[in-house]
Amino acid sequence: MDEETKREIILENYMHPDNRRDGDQEGYLKENTNNESCIDNLNIYVKINNNTIEDIYFNGEACAISTSSVSIMIHNLIGKTIKEALDYIDNFEKMIEGKEYDESILNDAIVYNEIHKQNNRKNCAYLPYRGIKKILEKYL
Amino acid sequence: MNRSDFPLLKTGVIYLDNGATTLKPQCVIDKITEYYQEYSANAHRGDYDLSFKVDEAYEGAREIVRKFINARYKEEIIFTSGTTDSLNMIVFGFFKRFLESGDEVLITKSEHASNVIPWFMLERELGAKVKYIELDDNHYVTMENVSKAITPNTKVISLAGITNVIGDERPIKEITEYAHERNIFVVVDGAQSVPHRDTDVQDLDIDFLALSGHKMCGPTGVGVLYGKKELLESMVPVRYGGGMNESFDSANEVYLKELPARLEAGTPNIAGVIGLGEAIKYLEAIGMDKIKEYECDLRRYAIDKLISIPHIDIINLEADGGIISFNVDDIFSQDVAYYLNKYHVCVRAGNHCAKILKGEVGVTSTIRMSLYFYNTKEEIDYVIDLLKDKERILKEMI
Ligand SMILES: Cc1ncc(COP(=O)(O)O)c(C=O)c1O
């Protein structure tokens, strides 16, 4: 994927993120996730049914990278089983850390495949995953 | 002004985060190095030449600080690790003993965390009450609102001389006069004011003042606690140990030294203190009035330009210090800071440790440019040029 396409995908997900909804909804598990060194602050809400992620939404305030990342995470994880989701997250984490990973399962999340070169933005991209991982791991 | 004195400026960086910390001139760097290379002995200890030289330099710095803030006595100058340390000593070493349940402490919602949380802890411990002086529409403290906030239970007013998000200067002299008529103490957090204008603690009649060296061209990890002598006399140390005791024996008979040693337990930040002395000499040579005037001019210059950019929302049109807080419409402050960083411009994004201010200004975070005397109109022009095209910010911030 070329740089221009990546930028467009990130910007689109930032300006019009998937599933941003205010307030707490019933039937969802909630986790707050924030970056110590900056001001990103997101609430992630997950609805799990039959070991499968039925829905995810978020609210809060965060930079372009965190916001686009949560949006991309949401449309990739909905419909996955918990195990599949954790597998996906594990792959994403490896990519962010600049390690070997399976590109084929990440879909559009590969827009962050160069972000390991920018130390200060790595955490922004990973922020939503850190939150949802806490919820999903409780389910294992 | 004086740009050639700052080695870091030679890298081409545009440093507009002086509210966080300032750059160091070569003379301060040299002074610190000189201590480590030529006489790095301990203070107040040895009976040899090197140690005497340390004492001379260390106590010399105390005198430089005394003169700089025009304290009456040298013993009123206590070296600390910075404003935060000084404020904690003021709160826990003095007011914790002095206040009682039901007594009131007045602060504002634009104070830095260091002038909020220690008081909150006192509220929990003692049942003293933290209350807020209301800010006016420009987020200023007015005498009218000070007098409205005072009750018969008010015992202390603790305010930044200048705040770090808005850059408004408080009418400290009027406040101390009004407060002292009512037996109320006044604590001034000088972190953002002392580096930027002349501070005369006697004229202002301040009871306690806290300041940080690193925000005024000095080293990190050193600051000052000023207190009126009679108040410092009844302050208890929050740290005990070497350097501050006269004698002690195994039966817990402890005699403490006089001021200022009594409040400076342990080996101090010697290089830092000496470096701070040098930084003050450096600022004095430029002239505090000149610094203030220069910054005000530069700020006005920047505001006049920023105001003409439609997608920029300035939070503090009105301010006295060199602080400009703003947002770019629909773009998260941090993204703007990242974008500017690509062009070697250092600004701060966030809530600037004033987390309770957001209710007042209605935004949770801002971009803050904070100026010092070494910033220039050319630098402002460069930043304005980067900010005036919103599409460009959106395109390049990622
Ligand atoms: C108004 C104000 N008070 C206190 C502080 C704390 O200073 P330090 O971190 O040097 O202790 C700062 C620093 O940001 C400040 O701006």
Side-chain angles (χ1 to χ4, degrees), chain A residues 4 19 31 53 56 76 78 93 96 99 103 112 117:
Chain A
E4 196 46 45
N19 292 10
E31 184 73 40
I53 298 176
I56 311 171
N76 277 299
I78 291 178
E93 193 173 348
I96 294 286
K99 296 184 190 147
E103 194 180 271
Y112 306 110
K117 294 177 188 159

Side-chain angles (χ1 to χ4, degrees), chain A residues 90-101 112-119 122:
Chain A
D90 185 48
N91 250 293
F92 185 86
E93 193 173 348
K94 282 184 180 144
M95 176 179 77
I96 294 286
E97 290 298 334
K99 296 184 190 147
E100 282 212 12
Y101 65 100
Y112 306 110
N113 65 357
E114 303 271 337
I115 212 146
H116 58 89
K117 294 177 188 159
Q118 279 175 276
N119 248 327
K122 233 162 72 171

Side-chain angles (χ1 to χ4, degrees), chain B residues 117-334:
Chain B
I117 301 177
W119 296 114
F120 278 177
M121 292 303 128
L122 214 55
E123 181 169 33
R124 288 190 194 174
E125 278 185 49
L126 299 181
K129 193 93 200 85
V130 176
K131 291 188 150 187
Y132 301 97
I133 298 167
E134 209 179 304
L135 302 175
D136 75 1
D137 290 344
N138 289 324
H139 319 296
Y140 271 62
V141 169
T142 62
M143 281 315 293
E144 193 190 332
N145 284 342
V146 170
S147 71
K148 259 203 284 187
I150 288 175
T151 76
N153 296 325
T154 307
K155 291 286 153 54
V156 52
I157 301 176
S158 187
L159 299 175
I162 295 181
T163 63
N164 64 318
V165 184
I166 301 298
D168 57 308
E169 184 169 13
R170 271 71 184 270
I172 297 297
K173 191 168 173 171
E174 288 86 337
I175 292 173
T176 53
E177 196 180 324
Y178 191 84
H180 289 157
E181 281 166 8
R182 289 158 183 80
N183 290 320
I184 298 167
F185 288 111
V186 178
V187 176
V188 176
D189 166 359
Q192 300 290 349
S193 58
V194 174
H196 301 277
R197 60 243 302 111
D198 187 49
T199 304
D200 181 331
V201 291
Q202 291 189 67
D203 178 55
L204 296 171
D205 203 17
I206 296 169
D207 296 307
F208 292 102
L209 173 74
L211 62 95
S212 295
H214 69 97
K215 291 186 199 283
M216 46 194 286
C217 295
T220 54
V222 64
V224 171
L225 157 63
Y226 159 83
K228 284 181 183 161
K229 195 170 168 199
E230 65 271 23
L231 303 180
L232 288 183
E233 294 286 5
S234 55
M235 183 183 262
V236 295
V238 292
R239 283 181 286 274
Y240 291 85
M244 55 85 76
N245 70 80
E246 199 73 69
S247 69
F248 60 100
D249 65 18
S250 53
N252 193 0
E253 191 90 26
V254 180
Y255 294 94
L256 300 184
K257 282 188 177 161
E258 302 282 306
L259 291 173
R262 192 164 63 78
L263 296 173
E264 291 180 2
T267 297
N269 181 355
I270 299 169
V273 165
I274 295 169
L276 173 59
E278 187 66 19
I280 290 174
K281 272 167 50 185
Y282 177 79
L283 294 178
E284 282 179 327
I286 300 173
M288 294 312 290
D289 289 337
K290 214 166 139 194
I291 289 174
K292 175 179 165 184
E293 195 186 311
Y294 182 87
E295 283 172 19
C296 284
D297 277 354
L298 192 58
R299 183 178 192 278
R300 210 166 304 124
Y301 180 82
I303 292 281
D304 284 348
K305 298 222 154 181
L306 276 173
I307 215 166
S308 66
I309 305 178
H311 54 266
I312 285 191
D313 178 26
I314 303 170
I315 308 295
N316 62 342
L317 270 179
E318 196 77 37
D320 309 290
I323 290 175
I324 303 172
S325 285
F326 65 97
N327 271 308
V328 177
D329 287 349
D330 311 317
I331 303 184
F332 197 56
S333 60
Q334 205 144 39

Side-chain angles (χ1 to χ4, degrees), chain B residues 18-21 80-88 110-115 159-165 170 189-193 210-215 220-223 323 348 352-353 368:
Chain B
N18 295 289
T21 197
T80 66
S81 75
T83 302
T84 303
D85 190 25
S86 304
L87 287 169
N88 274 274
S110 50
E111 300 309 310
H112 185 278
S114 299
N115 188 30
L159 299 175
I162 295 181
T163 63
N164 64 318
V165 184
R170 271 71 184 270
D189 166 359
Q192 300 290 349
S193 58
L211 62 95
S212 295
H214 69 97
K215 291 186 199 283
T220 54
V222 64
I323 290 175
R348 177 105 182 267
H352 318 296
C353 291
R368 181 185 71 181

Side-chain angles (χ1 to χ4, degrees), chain B residues 59-77 79 199-202 224 226 280 284:
Chain B
E59 292 306 318
R62 200 187 305 277
E63 174 59 19
I64 292 171
V65 175
R66 184 202 67 75
K67 252 179 51 202
F68 182 61
I69 60 171
N70 194 32
R72 192 182 302 261
Y73 308 106
K74 231 173 112 173
E75 311 89 270
E76 294 177 325
I77 307 300
F79 289 116
T199 304
D200 181 331
V201 291
Q202 291 189 67
V224 171
Y226 159 83
I280 290 174
E284 282 179 327

